[in-house]
């Protein structure tokens, strides 16, 4: 299932019906979304379209960048051409797609992370304006991925980008970066409903300071949110572990 040329894997998710891996396949100058499924981590098979062109529509470069298990199967996010895109599947074997509108003032955008609270999904990504400014944004689905609404995430200052998302309590937490290259600090966005977001920029070691700081992955265990990442200057790089109680 993985022996084809130009295959790239991006993310994995585990759910009640098994496991999925998502990514893309590049061939002849075009890119199609690719997914694989397995009931028990062996015997992987390539997923197919539930609706024509969901993964491999001709003339539109598509890629899956992140995946998560949901209350009704699996969801994935990425891009279709210059637009953000999302996919859903009941079992990982066949997928249907939704192409989202561009966020306000964006020339192109993609969703790079996704998390689920039951049937409520939040995908986050970065939009780019015609002037090259990057704008972090969130896409919310309350119906398991069929329909989506988008909102820009507030930035503490200048260009910003998202790096991770997690479902926390009844809401969601997103981490990202803001500031110029070489001097990026961590921003944390929280939302109780996936639609209204609050930004905070902690001034603690590992999340701010000289050089670049990032939290690149989030996970929840019990009532604790844990993030991992790094703090880097021109001459050194150290790992960061950030833990926070879940509120709400």
């Amino acid at each position: 299932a993985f022996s084809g040329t130009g295959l790239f894997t991006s993310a994995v998710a585990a759910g009640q019906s098994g496991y999925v891996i998502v990514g893309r396949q590049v061939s002849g100058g075009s890119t199609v979304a690719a997914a694989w499924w397995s009931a028990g981590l062996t015997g992987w098979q390539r997923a197919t379209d539930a609706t024509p062109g969901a993964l491999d529509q001709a003339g539109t470069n598509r890629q899956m960048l992140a995946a998560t298990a949901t209350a009704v199967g699996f969801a994935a996010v990425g891009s279709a051409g210059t637009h953000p895109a999302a996919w859903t599947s009941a079992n990982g074997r066949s997928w249907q797609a939704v192409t989202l509108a561009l966020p306000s003032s964006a020339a192109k955008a993609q969703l790079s992370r996704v998390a689920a609270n039951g049937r409520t999904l939040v995908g986050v990504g970065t939009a780019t304006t015609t002037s090259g400014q990057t704008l972090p944004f969130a896409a919310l689905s309350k119906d398991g991925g069929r329909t989506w609404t988008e909102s820009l995430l507030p930035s503490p200052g200048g260009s910003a980008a998202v790096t991770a998302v997690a479902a926390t309590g009844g809401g969601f937490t997103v981490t990202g970066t803001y500031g110029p290259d070489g001097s990026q600090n961590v921003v944390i966005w929280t939302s109780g409903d996936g639609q209204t977001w609050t930004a905070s920029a902690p001034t603690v070691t590992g999340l701010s300071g000289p050089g670049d700081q990032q939290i690149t992955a989030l996970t929840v265990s019990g009532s604790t949110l844990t993030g991992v990442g790094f703090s880097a200057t021109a001459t050194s790089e150290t790992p960061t572990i950030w833990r926070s109680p879940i509120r709400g």
Side-chain angles (χ1 to χ4, degrees):
F2 297 95
S3 61
T5 60
L7 293 172
F8 297 86
T9 56
S10 301
V12 62
Q16 293 183 353
S17 58
Y19 305 85
V20 297
I21 296 172
V22 300
R24 67 189 188 278
Q25 183 169 22
V26 181
S27 177
S30 64
T31 302
V32 298
W36 298 261
W37 65 271
S38 170
L41 293 177
T42 60
W44 287 91
Q45 297 184 45
R46 185 79 174 259
T48 59
D49 294 339
T51 54
L55 297 173
D56 54 3
Q57 182 177 352
T60 303
N61 289 333
R62 293 170 176 256
Q63 60 178 339
M64 290 172 156
L65 297 175
T68 189
T70 72
V72 292
F74 296 96
V77 296
S79 62
T82 59
H83 284 246
W87 292 261
T88 56
S89 173
N91 52 22
R93 302 181 184 188
S94 60
W95 295 78
Q96 52 191 1
V98 177
T99 300
L100 283 65
L102 285 172
S104 176
S105 72
K108 61 180 180 179
Q110 66 180 23
L111 292 167
S112 57
R113 303 287 190 274
V114 63
N117 256 331
R119 290 179 58 84
T120 300
L121 308 177
V122 165
V124 293
T126 303
T128 305
T129 67
T130 53
S131 64
Q133 182 183 9
T134 56
L135 304 172
F137 74 103
L140 168 68
S141 175
K142 296 182 179 181
D143 55 12
R146 290 197 300 270
T147 60
W148 297 79
T149 58
E150 297 166 307
S151 58
L152 294 177
L153 297 174
S155 171
S159 293
V162 299
T163 56
V165 61
T168 50
F172 297 87
T173 298
V174 177
T175 58
T177 60
Y178 71 99
D181 289 342
S183 185
Q184 292 185 337
N185 293 324
V186 171
V187 54
I188 301 168
W189 292 281
T190 55
S191 174
D193 57 9
Q195 189 166 8
T196 302
W197 295 87
T198 300
S200 63
T203 56
V204 297
T205 301
L207 302 184
S208 66
D212 288 327
Q213 282 68 224
Q214 286 192 29
I215 296 296
T216 56
L218 294 169
T219 190
V220 173
S221 178
S223 60
T224 300
L225 173 68
T226 300
V228 295
F230 64 88
S231 179
T233 66
T235 58
S236 66
E237 182 172 330
T238 57
T240 298
I241 299 176
W242 169 63
R243 302 183 69 198
S244 174
I246 297 173
R247 301 176 179 86

